[in-house]
């Protein structure tokens, strides 16, 4: 059975070069670069279309916007964990020696199970240490309060500030006015990790 070609107006047809494809949505025509890739479990290569631009009677208007795939998007809690990490006092770290980062990571995961900390760190188990983590958490909260006038409970207001990772792009979610004031009070800047 012969493959039927789609009929497009002449001004669209002239932009259909080898390695491209045209898609019509409504009354508009869009030009895409067409390639393919092997997909495990599929018999034939699967098409991959990369958006070039919209086709008009005057020509192709190329897009300078980059499309980002949301299929691999990751969302991590960021505000609370970042603030606690930044505010962690030296007098709490010192007695723990080289273990302080691991202990703090475990505390953060207990306080915020979706913390971004686990994104780039291998988190050890509590059983790898001989510390009493409830006591360490209480001590950390007291020392942060003593130094900065704020405890872990109040810092939990920052939990709804997320790190959103899309492909190679990282963005921080919206920071509400109350959270902005708290961040200014504790002098923590939420830059990319």
């Amino acid at each position: 059975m012969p493959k039927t070609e789609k009929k497009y107006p002449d001004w669209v047809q002239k932009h259909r070069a080898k390695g491209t494809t045209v898609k019509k949505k409504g009354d508009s025509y869009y030009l895409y670069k067409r390639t393919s890739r092997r997909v495990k479990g599929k018999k034939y290569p699967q098409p991959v279309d990369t958006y070039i631009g919209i086709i008009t009677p005057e020509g192709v208007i190329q897009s300078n916007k980059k499309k980002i795939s949301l299929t691999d998007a990751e969302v991590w809690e960021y505000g609370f964990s970042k603030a606690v990490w930044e505010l962690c006092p030296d007098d709490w770290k010192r007695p723990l020696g080289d273990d302080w980062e691991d202990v703090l990571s475990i505390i953060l995961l207990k306080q915020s199970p979706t913390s971004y900390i686990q994104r780039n760190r291998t988190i050890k188990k509590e059983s790898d240490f001989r510390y009493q983590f409830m006591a360490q958490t209480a001590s950390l909260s007291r020392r942060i309060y003593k130094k900065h006038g704020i405890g872990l409970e109040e810092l939990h207001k920052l939990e709804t500030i997320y790190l959103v990772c899309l492909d190679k792009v990282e963005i921080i979610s919206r920071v509400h006015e109350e959270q902005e004031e708290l961040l200014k009070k504790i002098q923590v800047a939420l830059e990319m990790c």
Side-chain angles (χ1 to χ4, degrees):
M1 192 165 7
K3 191 174 182 180
T4 55
E5 281 293 316
K6 292 183 180 175
K7 296 290 182 191
Y8 295 116
D10 291 338
W11 56 270
V12 173
Q13 204 66 24
K14 71 178 182 182
H15 295 289
R16 292 187 70 210
K18 185 175 179 164
T20 65
T21 186
V22 173
K23 296 181 183 180
K24 181 180 180 188
K25 294 178 187 167
D27 291 332
S28 299
Y29 297 91
Y30 300 92
L31 185 63
Y32 291 83
K33 176 181 172 190
R34 168 79 37 114
T35 57
S36 62
R37 66 178 170 150
R38 286 267 177 212
V39 176
K40 192 174 182 178
K42 299 279 185 176
K43 189 173 180 178
Y44 299 103
Q46 300 301 301
V48 176
D49 294 337
T50 306
Y51 180 67
I52 297 173
I54 188 168
I55 304 173
T56 66
E58 292 77 36
V60 176
I61 301 173
Q62 291 192 355
S63 173
N64 58 0
K65 294 181 182 176
K66 181 182 175 193
K67 286 197 172 187
I68 296 174
S69 170
L70 295 179
T71 55
D72 296 324
E74 296 177 355
V75 179
W76 301 95
E77 179 278 315
Y78 185 65
F80 169 78
S81 298
K82 177 73 170 169
V84 172
W85 195 275
E86 294 292 316
L87 298 177
C88 185
D90 289 336
D91 63 347
W92 182 82
K93 296 176 189 176
R94 216 172 290 112
L96 297 172
D98 292 339
D99 293 340
W100 78 266
E101 288 181 335
D102 292 318
V103 172
L104 184 56
S105 296
I106 292 168
I107 289 171
L108 286 172
L109 277 181
K110 287 173 78 89
Q111 295 280 314
S112 179
T114 60
S115 173
Y116 82 101
I117 291 296
Q118 62 192 311
R119 184 169 178 247
N120 297 322
R121 289 187 62 82
T122 302
I123 308 297
K124 294 184 179 176
K125 294 181 267 179
E126 270 187 70
S127 57
D128 292 344
F129 301 96
R130 294 188 176 191
Y131 303 110
Q132 293 184 352
F133 281 86
M134 286 187 65
Q136 288 297 330
T137 303
S139 171
L140 175 64
S141 187
R142 277 193 312 274
R143 289 171 195 244
I144 289 175
Y145 184 82
K146 184 178 177 184
K147 188 169 183 181
H148 302 282
I150 194 165
L152 290 182
E153 283 305 311
E154 197 172 350
L155 290 174
H156 275 285
K157 292 176 185 173
L158 302 173
E159 267 185 332
T160 58
I161 301 173
Y162 300 103
L163 177 66
V164 182
C165 306
L166 306 164
D167 196 21
K168 294 178 182 133
V169 177
E170 294 180 347
I171 57 173
I172 296 173
S173 69
R174 183 172 177 217
V175 178
H176 297 282
E177 192 175 316
E178 181 183 350
Q179 294 169 323
E180 188 77 47
E181 290 172 16
L182 180 55
L183 289 167
K184 284 180 186 172
K185 177 181 175 184
I186 60 177
Q187 298 178 345
V188 170
L190 297 180
E191 72 277 351
M192 296 296 162
C193 44

